[in-house]
Amino acid sequence: MQEKEFRQAGHYLVDFIADYLENVDKKPLFPDVQPAYLHELFDEPIPVHQLSLAQLQELLEEKLIPYCTHVNHPGYMGLITPSPNPAGILSDFLASALNQNLGAYSIGPAAVAMELRVIRWLNDLIGFDDKAGGNLTSGGMTANFIGLKLARDYTSHDRAQYDGMEKKWTAYVSEERHVSIDKAVDAVGIGRNNLRTLPTDDEFRIRIDALEKAIEKDKENGLQPICIIALAGTTNLGAVDDLHALHRIAEREACWMHVDAAYGGGMLLSAKQPDLLNGLSLADSVTIDPHKWFYAPLDAGAILVKDHRQLTKSFGLEPAYLTDQTDQKHDRYQFYVHGFEQSKRFRSLKVWSSFQHYGKNQIGEWIDGNVEQARYLHELATADDHFISATFPMMSATCIRYNAGELNDDQLRQLHHEVTTRIERGGQFWFATTSMKGKTWFRINPVNIHTTLAHMSNLFELLKQTCEEVLEEMTKQSLKFEV
Ligand SMILES: Cc1ncc(COP(=O)(O)O)c(C=O)c1O
């Protein structure tokens, strides 16, 4: 072991990261480079010769750092990947060094206790009592998958684990769902064609009348509801479904209620809107991603389950090679018996450390700051005749669209995509586009500790200017065709 070299390279790396975080706003947010260039840059066989750690660092500074998307940059407002908090960054470094494997107690006793505590904290935030449990996961995708598997097993009276799906089942969710729900219904054997994706109201919440009609029709055709999936913070807009109404229906139909709060779960820490997710505790399972709006570095998702026993019924296999013979008192918690993963990263360390270092109030203030930034952008767009905002943002996700000139929907789609591409090239901001109710929108989501209101006004000015520029070019172009 090269202790001296490790120490030197490690000190250098920490300084490097500190400088990086301090100066990231001066870098172009997105690299101006073609994918083919990057493939060529990394096109090399497995190395045969050795590099020192200092040479390795040099190589990373040359080949990796200039071509990153700098999510720490205050102008990053794209797909939901917040700026990671520094306590979390250091914790991940330590987690790799300790390499505790939380699948089994014997490979990380304190780590297992810490993970159980983090799960308890998240359950406390939801309002689940001490019967609750959960797993930290790679993210919302895996958490939603586990939620849907629990639904399948519970509603089939714990037969589906053994017999597979004997009946025809259906699941229900709004059209604003994240694609992880489609993947999850596929993975647990419900089937994508048996997922009913229902229309939303003006505030982008599932329409209860449409849900009732869909259930009635399915039951007439011999299909049985297996799960109602509520969204508490849609990916596009942070919309929150009527959790109370959905719970009443799930209870009546004797099926599972899963809530996807992968992004919106952050609002549980908000001091300004503490009741926005009221009703979350009615769910049977909830997805919350600490690596989204708790500002933990990737990866840290969570599935929280009201009755911990359902996790055990769903996953509880104990092969001989994993059984812990030294567990004489049977008090060692084995995550592998109560979850899907076997080898399991020490994800809770960064979440635990973030709460210890900042406290939940500070994290809540960052969240409230992001909501304020979104609302400011909404106001700017609403005050401008050429922009439309989809709705008043409940959280940080905002969708606005440009609507000047005589362009049809297809031309407006092209305009939005071209504007987004130009702004990406400019390197000051990054955001996505999306489609809702047949229209194309700029989807702007500040989930960054470093973003301020000034960044939002600069962004809006740049958007206006770029939209006008592209509109003018498109108009000239179509006049040319008409001539
Ligand atoms: C509502 C919602 N659910 C699930 C996911 C998937 O989460 P992950 O990317 O952590 O797997 C996302 C991601 O943006 C999301 O917005």
Side-chain angles (χ1 to χ4, degrees):
M1 162 75 181
Q2 324 121 315
E3 283 94 353
K4 192 165 167 226
E5 190 189 5
F6 178 82
R7 201 178 292 277
Q8 268 175 357
H11 283 218
Y12 179 92
L13 182 60
V14 169
D15 281 339
F16 176 84
I17 295 172
D19 289 342
Y20 168 78
L21 293 175
E22 207 173 321
N23 296 304
V24 68
D25 58 335
K26 298 175 196 84
K27 287 182 184 294
L29 198 166
F30 191 80
D32 186 11
V33 67
Q34 294 302 316
Y37 174 83
L38 295 175
H39 287 305
E40 204 166 307
L41 188 64
F42 287 96
D43 183 11
E44 58 188 346
I46 291 188
V48 176
H49 302 293
Q50 299 183 354
L51 289 184
S52 67
L53 290 179
Q55 287 169 318
L56 182 61
Q57 172 76 27
E58 249 176 63
L59 198 59
L60 293 174
E61 288 181 36
E62 180 197 323
K63 287 182 137 185
L64 171 69
I65 308 298
Y67 308 115
C68 286
T69 302
H70 298 296
V71 300
N72 287 285
H73 190 296
Y76 181 81
M77 303 183 199
L79 310 173
I80 315 171
T81 306
S83 45
N85 76 72
I89 298 172
L90 289 174
S91 299
D92 246 1
F93 190 22
L94 181 62
S96 292
L98 299 174
N99 213 25
Q100 300 296 279
N101 186 340
L102 278 84
Y105 177 92
S106 54
I107 328 173
V112 166
M114 200 182 255
E115 188 115 338
L116 287 170
R117 178 48 47 187
V118 166
I119 290 165
R120 183 64 256 158
W121 285 344
L122 297 176
N123 280 323
D124 284 345
L125 288 173
I126 292 174
F128 279 172
D129 67 20
D130 56 10
K131 288 196 287 305
N135 286 179
L136 294 196
T137 66
S138 64
M141 170 68 239
T142 315
N144 282 338
F145 159 68
I146 295 175
L148 265 290
K149 174 161 155 53
L150 296 176
R152 186 199 72 171
D153 298 347
Y154 168 83
T155 313
S156 73
H157 303 291
D158 290 307
R159 289 311 317 157
Q161 299 95 305
Y162 303 94
D163 304 331
M165 301 285 272
E166 291 192 323
K167 280 203 229 167
K168 274 276 200 186
W169 297 98
T170 44
Y172 303 83
V173 70
S174 99
E175 63 189 358
E176 282 300 311
R177 76 211 175 277
H178 185 266
V179 68
S180 50
I181 301 296
D182 302 62
K183 290 190 186 176
V185 292
D186 163 4
V188 305
I190 298 168
R192 290 185 206 165
N193 289 344
N194 297 320
L195 177 67
R196 306 286 176 252
T197 57
L198 300 162
T200 54
D201 62 18
D202 290 346
E203 287 166 25
F204 297 85
R205 298 175 308 182
I206 192 168
R207 271 183 34 211
I208 303 298
D209 62 320
L211 171 64
E212 291 285 25
K213 242 189 234 154
I215 293 177
E216 198 182 314
K217 187 164 160 219
D218 283 332
K219 282 170 49 179
E220 277 167 19
N221 292 325
L223 297 154
Q224 204 60 33
I226 201 164
C227 186
I228 295 186
I229 303 141
L231 306 178
T234 59
T235 311
N236 277 331
L237 269 174
V240 182
D241 288 336
D242 183 341
L243 302 178
H244 290 91
L246 295 181
H247 173 250
R248 276 194 297 276
I249 297 172
E251 213 173 30
R252 186 190 69 208
E253 300 299 332
C255 73
W256 191 263
M257 177 180 174
H258 174 71
V259 182
D260 183 359
Y263 153 54
M267 290 304 292
L268 292 169
L269 299 178
S270 162
K272 295 200 171 151
Q273 295 180 93
D275 300 329
L276 187 67
L277 303 191
N278 233 335
L280 201 54
S281 62
L282 297 169
D284 295 300
S285 58
V286 177
T287 289
I288 294 182
D289 276 0
H291 74 198
K292 288 198 169 57
W293 221 7
F294 288 38
Y295 311 91
L298 291 168
D299 59 4
I303 178 78
L304 290 318
V305 186
K306 183 183 255 159
D307 184 348
H308 173 263
R309 286 172 303 181
Q310 197 55 44
L311 272 171
T312 323
K313 286 185 202 160
S314 200
F315 292 106
L317 293 168
E318 296 184 63
Y321 51 83
L322 284 174
T323 308
D324 188 347
Q325 307 305 343
T326 47
D327 186 12
Q328 301 287 331
K329 291 198 210 146
H330 299 289
D331 57 358
R332 298 181 169 192
Y333 190 87
Q334 310 289 359
F335 269 105
Y336 81 86
V337 182
H338 314 284
F340 189 67
E341 283 180 300
Q342 174 55 54
S343 284
K344 196 167 156 56
R345 252 178 76 71
F346 191 3
R347 300 184 175 105
S348 48
L349 178 55
K350 58 195 159 198
V351 185
W352 187 88
S353 303
S354 307
F355 276 121
Q356 295 287 358
H357 183 60
Y358 299 100
K360 70 182 179 119
N361 292 354
Q362 171 63 75
I363 302 175
E365 268 177 41
W366 289 330
I367 287 165
D368 284 333
N370 290 153
V371 177
E372 193 187 351
Q373 289 145 20
R375 290 180 177 172
Y376 181 49
L377 181 67
H378 164 82
E379 272 170 35
L380 293 172
T382 309
D384 189 305
D385 288 346
H386 294 154
F387 280 87
I388 295 170
S389 175
T391 185
F392 180 75
M394 298 314 294
M395 301 186 184
S396 58
T398 325
C399 286
I400 62 175
R401 111 186 127 83
Y402 188 64
N403 195 26
E406 305 283 304
L407 306 186
N408 62 30
D409 280 349
D410 195 43
Q411 290 165 320
L412 277 170
R413 183 180 52 77
Q414 284 173 36
L415 178 142
H416 283 73
H417 290 179
E418 179 58 24
V419 168
T420 311
T421 307
R422 288 187 193 189
I423 291 182
E424 173 186 285
R425 227 182 285 137
Q428 287 183 63
F429 293 99
W430 202 96
F431 54 83
T433 58
T434 191
S435 165
M436 286 188 307
K437 300 199 192 279
K439 307 276 184 213
T440 307
W441 304 79
F442 298 122
R443 177 176 157 244
I444 298 168
N445 193 348
V447 280
N448 192 310
I449 297 171
H450 314 289
T451 305
T452 62
L453 293 180
H455 292 110
M456 303 318 283
S457 35
N458 291 345
L459 167 63
F460 190 65
E461 276 312 305
L462 183 64
L463 255 180
K464 265 193 343 190
Q465 192 188 317
T466 317
C467 285
E468 281 161 20
E469 196 178 283
V470 174
L471 175 64
E472 198 181 312
E473 287 172 29
M474 286 178 78
T475 314
K476 269 194 203 145
Q477 193 74 9
S478 62
L479 283 177
K480 205 165 83 190
F481 280 122
E482 278 170 27
V483 173

